[in-house]
Amino acid sequence: CLDFGNEEAALNCGAYLFKNLYKIELEEPLEDDPQSPWTVLAIPYMPANYEDICSVEKHLSEVAAHFGGKLSGWGCLAQTDA
């Protein structure tokens, strides 16, 4: 999750990440908390190993900072063969 103080920064960051092959979701601030951030969910498809996770986390932190935001956390979903 990458958090931003305004919509424009979130959209610009999201567009950049989309152009760089991330799936993107944008979440507006909470309706009952106007001080909550605009959040960009950046979804990479990658192996879940320590080195790759650290690399992506560092990259997303740098991208967020470039657009005036911050990396606020991450999660992982395991993909199973169907």
Side-chain angles (χ1 to χ4, degrees):
C1 299
L2 295 86
D3 291 342
F4 298 89
N6 63 68
E7 181 180 14
E8 182 179 4
L11 289 172
N12 288 337
C13 181
Y16 172 83
L17 290 170
F18 180 76
K19 289 178 184 176
N20 285 278
L21 305 178
Y22 284 84
K23 181 180 175 188
I24 297 300
E25 293 180 18
L26 181 65
E27 294 181 354
E28 298 179 6
L30 300 173
E31 199 171 294
D32 60 342
D33 182 6
Q35 298 301 315
S36 63
W38 285 84
T39 299
V40 175
L41 302 177
I43 304 165
Y45 292 95
M46 56 180 264
N49 63 59
Y50 181 77
E51 291 81 19
D52 289 339
I53 290 170
C54 289
S55 177
V56 168
E57 184 177 31
K58 181 177 185 275
H59 173 71
L60 290 176
S61 182
E62 291 169 352
V63 170
H66 175 79
F67 289 97
K70 66 177 184 172
L71 179 70
S72 61
W74 61 274
C76 180
L77 294 174
Q79 184 175 353
T80 59
D81 295 330

